[in-house]
Amino acid sequence: LIKKSLIQTFKLDSTQRSVALQVPNGPQRIRGLAGTGKTIILSMKAALTHISNENFKILFVFNTQSMYNQITSNIEKYTIEEASKAPDWNNLMVLHAWGGRRREGLYSFLCSQYGLSPKTLYETKHVSDPYQYIFSDFLAKKKDEIVPIFDMVLIDEAQDFPPAFFETIYHITKDPKRIIWAYDEFQSLNELKISEPESLFGLNKKGIPNLNNDSIKGQYDDGIDK
């Protein structure tokens, strides 16, 4: 019974697969309860986008360190199943949001790219939100120098990340800002209310939100739900 249940639970249904196949021409938000397959969908979306757009630079970023192997093995499995070849990891980066001495993460990668010394977890023990602290610091020092390098960014566990993280993602993503973020309903470490794009992705020099709330309402011209 347990085996049968697991097979049913982790089998992609038609709705999940259709979402995974989509390459939106802009930002997209995915909402769902814990255990509804968001990580699977993002992994498959990374693999399928990588196959259909070989020159795309794709970033998959997340918060829980222990998910590294699960995400990379999922992406590898789906790429081999669909294209009969392994992923080109030069164009597909799977990074923890922070990173450390043993393994590079998004924050440590960006610090390396822009000549900064990354802050350690020990250095942030005095603040209530370490992610907000480190990415705010990075933006304060290098915001005007950031060059967009990714064609698509997939964010898992988005409920765990603060605005400075999302604003950084905005600046490192090329137009038309294919940023896909998935979060667990009611699973935020900090609050129940889900933040809208205008409060997540920062403001431009004129004080206008980089992404307005309407950017994830309705559909794109090709029928893909925002």
Side-chain angles (χ1 to χ4, degrees):
L1 284 171
I2 292 172
K3 185 177 179 182
K4 187 176 180 181
S5 174
L6 288 173
I7 291 170
Q8 182 63 36
T9 300
F10 292 102
K11 183 179 180 181
L12 280 172
D13 60 26
S14 58
T15 304
Q16 289 173 312
R17 183 172 175 83
S18 67
V19 173
L21 284 164
Q22 296 171 357
V23 180
N25 197 35
Q28 185 181 52
R29 183 171 69 179
I30 299 173
R31 303 167 62 181
L33 296 171
T36 50
K38 296 182 296 300
T39 301
I40 297 292
I41 287 174
L42 291 183
S43 299
M44 179 171 268
K45 189 186 285 284
L48 297 176
T49 303
H50 177 58
I51 292 167
S52 59
N53 301 272
E54 290 186 354
N55 294 323
F56 266 27
K57 292 283 187 182
I58 300 170
L59 169 67
F60 192 123
V61 62
F62 56 96
N63 181 43
T64 305
Q65 290 269 14
S66 59
M67 290 176 63
Y68 256 116
N69 291 338
Q70 177 190 346
I71 292 166
T72 53
S73 63
N74 279 342
I75 293 173
E76 189 167 54
K77 180 181 76 170
Y78 294 133
T79 303
I80 292 171
E81 284 179 359
E82 300 288 335
S84 299
K85 62 180 181 181
D88 178 0
W89 295 111
N90 292 317
N91 285 341
L92 215 170
M93 298 182 73
V94 177
L95 295 176
H96 180 261
W98 195 317
R101 293 176 182 174
R102 296 182 180 179
R103 204 165 198 173
E104 187 176 61
L106 177 61
Y107 171 64
S108 59
F109 166 76
L110 290 174
C111 286
S112 174
Q113 293 290 303
Y114 289 92
L116 294 176
S117 178
K119 295 186 181 300
T120 64
L121 188 60
Y122 179 79
E123 292 176 84
T124 65
K125 65 179 183 178
H126 64 288
V127 299
S128 59
D129 192 333
Y131 274 129
Q132 181 68 16
Y133 178 74
I134 62 171
F135 281 103
S136 291
D137 180 72
F138 172 75
L139 289 171
K141 293 173 179 174
K142 297 295 179 179
K143 183 176 179 177
D144 293 337
E145 300 176 32
I146 298 174
V147 177
I149 55 174
F150 295 107
D151 297 279
M152 175 183 277
V153 177
L154 302 151
I155 306 169
D156 201 4
E157 306 179 294
Q159 74 280 352
D160 294 344
F161 297 120
F165 167 84
F166 284 95
E167 185 177 355
T168 302
I169 294 294
Y170 178 86
H171 290 297
I172 64 174
T173 308
K174 298 176 185 177
D175 288 331
K177 304 299 180 182
R178 292 186 186 88
I179 303 167
I180 294 94
W181 68 105
Y183 63 84
D184 292 342
E185 295 275 26
F186 314 124
Q187 292 293 311
S188 171
L189 298 177
N190 301 311
E191 57 186 52
L192 289 175
K193 188 176 183 293
I194 299 301
S195 299
E196 294 295 319
E198 288 180 8
S199 62
L200 285 178
F201 290 94
L203 307 173
N204 64 20
K205 292 181 179 179
K206 296 180 179 179
I208 300 170
N210 287 319
L211 274 186
N212 61 50
N213 293 344
D214 289 339
S215 66
I216 54 168
K217 293 179 180 178
Q219 295 182 327
Y220 289 103
D221 292 339
D222 52 9
I224 293 177
D225 288 328
K226 296 180 181 180

